[in-house]
Amino acid sequence: MTIQITPLHPLFVGEVSGVDLTRPLGPDDARAIEAGMDHYAVLVFRRQDITDEQQLAFARNFGEREDSRGGSVAKKEDARLTSGVNDVSNLGKDGKPLPKDDRTHLFNLGNCLWHSDSSFRPIPAKFSLLSARVVNPKGGNTEFADMRAAYDTLDDETRDEIADMICEHSLMTSRGALGFLDYSDEEKQMFKPVLQRLVRQHPVHGRKSLYLSSHAGSIQGMTVPEARVLLRDLNEHATQPQFVYVHKWSLHDLVMWDNRQTMHRVRRYDASQPRDMRRATVAGDAPTVQQQAAE
Ligand code: OGA
Ligand code: MN
């Protein structure tokens, strides 16, 4: 059976059929999916009952695995999963939902803010692949915004103004916006801000996108309040309903997105009930500040 992709939204997002992710992917299928990612930026695969190992093996077709260190306040010894996937569930080592006041739970609530994965790393992530192992009974949709369309629809004046802007991104900015402000010295060191271009260009098709994320807290050469007002305006523009796809999860869905061309967020859900989501993350290949100035 050959791979088919059906659009799920007027601007981006495709649903892929004709592929079984429990089995190794042939080179033609891997190429078709990567090309689909370049075009659609988000791909949905339904009814894929996979193990962590199969999820990681599928992700490996698109690049190296991103090292997850430095992305959380969870202690290594408290990890529920040791397979190499990122645990984005609300579960502790005992398999039960984390208590309401648990520090890791509070930190993870940052995923409810619009972001691009790992924009707080010097080399941010390329793709993320999220697999639904237990679906929460209430809420918990994941929303995606097309940042190419967001860029394309800016007025010329704004496009010129932001063309070469460089932002500082840190996990302390996104978490700080939720009032999570207490960090150990080691965490402060780990979450030091990194630089990212505000406009980036896709390496294959060359389309530009607005590279926003709730981790972004300042812009070089601007005062912080001035920068934050601009970033808020851009975020408001970029997340208008016409640029957004809402994914309602079914058990064993796998959704794969390109962090270079999209933002995403999870909506609130019933924290007293399990939501087991696991992410394989494909590393990016270069800092965005090394990209050519946008022409
Ligand atoms: C992620 C993330 C959203 C969700 O895995 O990067 O933001 O729906 N997850 O859990
Ligand atoms: Mn995320």
Side-chain angles (χ1 to χ4, degrees):
M1 199 174 167
T2 51
I3 285 189
Q4 283 200 329
I5 308 183
T6 316
L8 294 179
H9 184 280
L11 294 171
F12 69 139
V13 191
E15 178 170 340
V16 182
S17 57
V19 63
D20 175 357
L21 302 185
T22 65
R23 307 167 75 95
L25 213 59
D28 289 348
D29 285 353
R31 266 194 296 276
I33 292 171
E34 178 118 25
M37 283 298 288
D38 291 344
H39 180 73
Y40 287 98
V42 179
L43 291 177
V44 174
F45 302 74
R46 298 198 195 267
R47 292 173 296 280
Q48 302 289 344
D49 184 2
I50 51 174
T51 64
D52 292 359
E53 289 67 31
Q54 289 163 346
Q55 187 176 346
L56 291 166
F58 175 54
R60 193 68 186 80
N61 287 290
F62 311 106
E64 301 211 359
R65 169 144 60 99
E66 183 181 86
D67 183 345
S68 67
R69 277 175 302 182
S72 113
V73 293
K75 298 200 179 66
K76 203 167 174 226
E77 61 269 25
D78 294 335
R80 181 177 69 106
L81 307 173
T82 50
S83 57
V85 293
N86 298 78
D87 190 357
V88 277
S89 75
N90 63 340
L91 306 173
K93 213 173 177 174
D94 59 1
K96 297 207 171 69
L98 293 164
K100 271 195 165 313
D101 59 352
D102 179 272
R103 197 162 180 262
T104 300
H105 165 65
L106 299 174
F107 190 83
N108 291 347
L109 286 175
N111 280 341
C112 296
L113 305 180
W114 285 107
H115 65 282
S116 174
D117 288 336
S118 299
S119 75
F120 55 85
R121 299 185 191 279
I123 299 180
K126 180 186 176 192
F127 296 163
S128 296
L129 299 87
L130 191 62
S131 162
R133 309 295 178 86
V134 175
V135 176
N136 191 262
K138 195 176 145 207
N141 294 339
T142 306
E143 299 181 344
F144 296 89
D146 185 344
M147 304 308 286
R148 310 165 302 187
Y151 176 81
D152 290 345
T153 50
L154 290 171
D155 57 69
D156 292 345
E157 207 179 340
T158 309
R159 270 206 294 262
D160 286 347
E161 185 189 357
I162 67 171
D164 291 311
M165 284 186 177
I166 307 283
C167 301
E168 290 193 346
H169 292 231
S170 164
L171 274 166
M172 291 188 287
T173 304
S174 49
R175 275 54 189 169
L178 297 181
F180 187 109
L181 298 161
D182 298 324
Y183 303 95
S184 66
D185 288 342
E186 192 185 344
E187 286 168 347
K188 282 184 195 152
Q189 182 62 24
M190 194 159 80
F191 299 150
K192 271 197 329 249
V194 304
L195 302 179
Q196 306 291 358
R197 295 189 63 86
L198 181 52
V199 178
R200 63 188 298 187
Q201 199 163 14
H202 192 277
V204 177
H205 53 58
R207 277 186 79 181
K208 288 175 190 163
S209 34
L210 257 182
Y211 190 39
L212 293 170
S213 191
S214 58
H215 309 308
S218 60
I219 298 175
Q220 286 189 338
M222 282 173 99
T223 63
V224 169
E226 201 183 9
R228 292 208 179 177
V229 168
L230 173 57
L231 291 169
R232 272 180 184 240
D233 275 359
L234 293 172
N235 272 289
E236 204 171 296
H237 166 77
T239 57
Q240 294 176 84
Q242 65 269 32
F243 305 134
V244 173
Y245 163 76
V246 178
H247 189 74
K248 298 183 176 63
W249 292 94
S250 296
L251 185 65
H252 298 144
D253 282 353
L254 180 131
V255 179
M256 179 172 176
W257 62 88
D258 187 340
N259 288 295
R260 302 166 303 182
Q261 318 192 68
T262 58
M263 277 204 293
H264 61 280
R265 66 171 175 181
V266 58
R267 303 314 304 266
R268 291 193 309 135
Y269 56 91
D270 182 352
S272 72
Q273 298 295 317
R275 181 176 190 267
D276 189 352
M277 308 294 288
R278 303 183 188 196
R279 192 182 86 202
T281 318
V282 179
D285 53 16
T288 60
V289 283
Q290 278 179 12
Q291 280 193 358
Q292 291 270 302
E295 297 112 46

